[in-house]
Amino acid sequence: MSRAGRAPGRMLIISFQYWPALNARAFRWTALAEAWALGGREVHIVCARLPDRPTFETVNGVQVHRVGNAWIEGLRAGMPTTDVGTTAARNGIRRVVSAAARAAWHAIYWPDTSCAWYFAARSKARELLATFAPEALVSVSPAFTAVAVVRSLARLTPRGFRWLIDLGDPFSFAEEAPPNNLRLYRSLNLRFERACFAAADSVSVTTSATRDRYAALFPESARKIAVIPPLVALPEARGGVEPGGPSNRCRLAFLGRLYPTIRRPDFLLAIFAALAEGPGGERYDLHFYGETRECNASFTTYGHMLGRNLFLHGPVSRDRAAAAMRSADVLVNIGNDTPYQLPSKIVEYAMTGRPILNIALRSDDSSARFLDDHPAHLTLAARAEGPAHEDLRMLREFLARKPLEMPEAMRRAWLAPYSLPEISARYDALLSGDPVSRDAASR
């Protein structure tokens, strides 16, 4: 087991998604694992099978073990939610069958939709425990199934590793975007997560608000919980992006995933439509990069704008997403409709230095707090009744004056707490048993 003050030299990370997955936790742990491997540590990842990747490969020094049923995981990942129609179910019978299957699955899975991966991941993790004796295990959530895997391993006696639970999203109190059927599993979620916190050596979350909520919920484990904020780790620019319209237009770009419960685009679409259909509106384009299917209904009203000044690019590669950020005139953020989550992409936005338009879905918006001293941003509060004349006026002025980018020296200092060396050092402190500041980089 790693001693206090010494970072572990052999590490096993259990994470349902890893490179080349396109999500914040995969980006975070790919960057960390590769940095640690480059520094001479032995790093193994247990993640989900992918149909186009081998079951084992070494990627930039990291030994990647992909386990589970690739067909099941592909089906699970592609299963549409109840909020959006599916193009695969084009006839009445298939729609009924698809809806029934969705409803049945969503009613019973636990702890989350990745549960079918549990046994394969546990088997591989136990094998690796026996063959290379890791000094530290990290369970990365989402998906919380990864935490369940390590919880089973933590019962082994003697236990020769330190266990870190890394939470990108909360589990037991995630009311707005619940991980499972709360009517059936609410009390089980709470009991199981309490037991996991008790068994773990440390827990990391990304915001002080999440830490405080957990400390109140599990006071017996409060001392274990540390804040490690989002990581800035954009790839280097490798050219531009495919233009969605004339290059002389002002290009607004949103990057990330839309959710019907915590990140709806309704207000953004309404105010952009008012902008685009008003005087001089032909100068503006709005681009969405990322998964939007769950909010397809929000775009229905604006179908006449698609391909003209509203563009849906869908999920794109990490390199293309980085290029899209750097080539945008204004980056658009939609804050989460929760008080305890900070969208990780807002930190990446800040790294680029580009002006930022932030749509706040609630009065205590975490993105607004983060951007409070950012010199080139505008935050607009989303109104249920739609944008007011004052909102449109402020947006027009913000776009017209073309706010200066944050100077590079200021940007580097402002983002230092979110850099790879700083984030890596904070994880090392947790994994080696050293104390960590409870309020790391919380703005």
Side-chain angles (χ1 to χ4, degrees), residues 173-210:
F173 64 86
E175 299 282 344
E176 296 84 358
N180 51 47
N181 182 353
L182 294 186
R183 287 180 293 180
L184 188 61
Y185 297 124
R186 186 187 300 273
S187 61
L188 175 59
N189 291 347
L190 188 64
R191 291 196 308 273
F192 186 73
E193 190 168 37
R194 182 188 295 275
C196 290
F197 274 45
D201 296 287
S202 53
V203 179
S204 59
V205 297
T206 53
T207 68
S208 296
T210 305

Side-chain angles (χ1 to χ4, degrees), residues 370-399:
F370 175 84
L371 293 169
D372 188 51
D373 54 353
H374 190 286
H377 88 281
L378 170 67
T379 290
L380 295 176
R383 306 172 192 264
E385 67 276 15
H389 292 299
E390 178 68 6
D391 299 324
L392 187 57
R393 181 190 65 78
M394 288 192 294
L395 177 58
R396 283 194 174 118
E397 290 180 357
F398 178 72
L399 298 176

Side-chain angles (χ1 to χ4, degrees), residues 10 48 146 165 205 248 256 301 321 329 331 383 395 404 410:
R10 299 185 305 278
I165 297 174
V205 297
N248 61 345
T301 304
D329 295 293
L331 293 167
R383 306 172 192 264
L395 177 58
L404 295 175
M410 178 189 295

Side-chain angles (χ1 to χ4, degrees), residues 244-245 249 285-288 305-313:
R249 294 185 180 181
D285 287 341
L286 174 59
H287 297 256
F288 285 83
M305 301 173 63
L306 291 172
R308 180 167 59 88
N309 47 13
L310 177 62
F311 303 91
L312 306 182
H313 299 275

Side-chain angles (χ1 to χ4, degrees), residues 213-331:
R213 182 75 178 270
Y214 269 124
L217 197 61
F218 306 138
E220 69 280 5
S221 297
R223 62 178 179 78
K224 301 180 180 181
I225 307 171
V227 177
I228 303 184
L231 167 67
V232 174
L234 281 178
E236 294 298 321
R238 298 180 184 176
V241 298
E242 298 176 11
S247 59
N248 61 345
R249 294 185 180 181
C250 178
R251 187 184 188 98
L252 289 77
F254 170 89
L255 294 98
R257 183 168 185 162
L258 298 176
Y259 295 94
T261 53
I262 63 170
R263 196 183 300 151
R264 295 187 69 91
D266 301 65
F267 184 86
L268 170 61
L269 291 170
I271 197 168
F272 179 75
L275 174 74
E277 293 171 359
E282 69 280 356
R283 299 194 301 268
Y284 304 104
D285 287 341
L286 174 59
H287 297 256
F288 285 83
Y289 295 88
E291 184 58 75
T292 60
R293 288 182 303 167
E294 294 187 61
C295 290
N296 275 356
S298 297
F299 291 89
T300 302
T301 304
Y302 309 98
H304 63 287
M305 301 173 63
L306 291 172
R308 180 167 59 88
N309 47 13
L310 177 62
F311 303 91
L312 306 182
H313 299 275
V316 298
S317 70
R318 183 69 166 151
D319 287 337
R320 187 179 172 195
M325 288 189 200
R326 294 185 175 103
S327 63
D329 295 293
V330 175
L331 293 167

Side-chain angles (χ1 to χ4, degrees), residues 28-67:
R28 181 186 189 92
W29 282 99
T30 299
L32 286 164
E34 291 181 354
W36 288 332
L38 182 63
R41 303 188 203 183
E42 184 175 359
V43 183
H44 292 253
I45 302 286
V46 174
C47 57
R49 282 281 305 277
L50 294 175
D52 57 346
R53 304 301 309 178
T55 56
F56 174 77
E57 60 183 328
T58 300
V59 183
N60 295 326
V62 179
Q63 299 180 61
V64 182
H65 307 262
R66 304 188 187 276
V67 300

